[in-house]
Every structure is written in structure tokens, then in C-alpha cells.
Amino acid sequence: MTVNRFENGKTVNAASAIALEKALLAAGVILIATGGHTSEGGEGVRLQD
């Protein structure tokens, strides 16, 4: 899977999506689900301080 494929809404293998999520989390990215909130705002992504 490539990030481009994922971003374009194409079908991705579940294992690849999990691997991408783990890599982002390990790099310090915070994933905020729909309806979720942080002190900086709502859903989306944030970088850890």
C-alpha cells in the first residue's frame, strides 16, 4: 500500500492500514477520530509536543 493509494480512497489491505497507523503513531502523530476533541481542536491529526 502506498499513502497515495490510501489518500485517494482506494481499497487497501487491512494489514497495510494497520502498519501505516503504527508508523504514524511511532513518529509522534496523534490521530483524532470523528467526534473527538483535544485542547487544540477537533478531529484530524496533530503532532505530539
Side-chain angles (χ1 to χ4, degrees), residues 4-43:
N4 183 282
R5 185 172 176 77
F6 182 80
E7 288 178 333
N8 287 314
K10 295 183 181 176
T11 303
V12 295
N13 179 301
S16 296
I18 291 168
L20 177 59
E21 180 178 356
K22 286 182 180 181
L24 291 169
L25 294 173
V29 174
I30 301 168
L31 304 173
I32 305 162
T34 300
H37 296 279
T38 68
S39 60
E40 292 86 24
E43 64 192 53

